[in-house]
């Protein structure tokens, strides 16, 4: 087991920082609810399946939030293909003390901003869904501003 954990830590260290904050698109492509049947809630069995898909030990559950790639507020489905384990306390890029992680709270802020733009007629629901599906961090940067920049640069927002 220790060899497995060492390998997992090595693998995680080799992943570029932004990918640590994004779901694997092969495991979580994102999907919208086609009917109310797709809005049945996330069960414990679904959460366990998501952890298994991402090769995460269930014992690490407290470190993650099972997140909808496409948020329910934007029409996302309660389906495995729309769920991923999002780190609750993700480490920031670089070493800046001012850096904050692109965590669940940032994704919720983005969702609220996209909903405001939809209500104002500045974008469609389909556009918002696609931006989040493609890369929610890029969408955050486009609509809100940078939270992290490369070392030596100052974040545009706190």
């Amino acid at each position: 087991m220790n060899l497995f954990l060492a390998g997992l830590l090595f693998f995680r260290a080799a992943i570029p920082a932004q990918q640590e904050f994004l779901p694997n698109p092969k495991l979580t492509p994102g999907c919208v609810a086609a009917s109310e049947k797709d809005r049945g809630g996330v069960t414990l069995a679904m959460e366990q399946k998501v952890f298994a898909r991402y090769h995460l030990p269930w014992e690490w559950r407290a470190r993650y939030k099972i997140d909808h790639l496409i948020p329910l507020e934007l029409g996302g489905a309660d389906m495995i293909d729309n769920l991923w384990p999002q780190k609750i306390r993700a480490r920031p890029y670089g070493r800046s003390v001012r850096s904050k992680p692109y965590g669940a709270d940032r994704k919720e802020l983005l969702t609220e901003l996209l909903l405001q733009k939809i209500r104002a007629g500045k974008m469609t629901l389909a556009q918002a869904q696609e931006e989040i599906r493609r890369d929610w961090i890029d969408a955050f940067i486009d609509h809100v501003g940078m939270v992290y920049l490369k070392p030596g640069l100052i974040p545009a927002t706190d």
Side-chain angles (χ1 to χ4, degrees):
M1 183 69 168
N2 289 339
L3 185 59
F4 170 76
L5 288 177
L8 181 63
L9 292 175
F10 174 78
F11 175 73
R12 294 295 292 168
I15 297 173
Q18 186 167 329
Q19 289 180 1
E20 184 176 343
F21 303 105
L22 298 172
N24 179 326
K26 292 178 182 174
L27 301 176
T28 308
C31 57
V32 296
S35 70
E36 282 303 310
K37 291 179 186 178
D38 297 336
R39 293 294 202 65
V42 178
T43 66
L44 180 62
M46 291 169 75
E47 289 185 10
Q48 290 171 333
K49 185 172 183 177
V50 169
F51 267 68
R53 287 177 90 177
Y54 277 83
H55 304 287
L56 293 171
W58 183 247
E59 294 78 35
W60 292 4
R61 175 63 181 101
R63 301 178 191 178
Y64 293 86
K65 169 189 176 189
I66 297 297
D67 192 23
H68 293 79
L69 176 57
I70 299 173
L72 296 175
E73 299 89 345
L74 294 175
D78 287 324
M79 299 173 69
I80 295 294
D81 283 348
N82 196 41
L83 301 174
W84 63 293
Q86 184 179 28
K87 276 191 171 184
I88 293 171
R89 292 182 172 254
R91 68 188 161 127
Y93 290 146
R95 298 171 193 255
S96 171
V97 175
R98 296 184 61 195
S99 293
K100 294 181 181 178
Y102 285 101
D105 60 332
R106 297 300 170 146
K107 191 156 174 283
E108 290 168 13
L109 175 63
L110 172 63
T111 300
E112 287 302 315
L113 184 64
L114 294 178
L115 285 168
Q116 290 174 9
K117 288 187 174 194
I118 292 166
R119 286 190 287 267
K122 294 180 179 177
M123 72 184 323
T124 67
L125 177 60
Q127 288 171 324
Q129 292 167 342
E130 183 55 31
E131 285 189 26
I132 285 184
R133 177 184 289 122
R134 192 173 339 120
D135 185 324
W136 79 264
I137 295 174
D138 280 351
F140 185 95
I141 292 167
D142 290 346
H143 294 280
V144 181
M146 295 290 288
V147 173
Y148 293 105
L149 294 175
K150 294 182 180 174
L153 299 177
I154 299 171
T157 63
D158 280 331

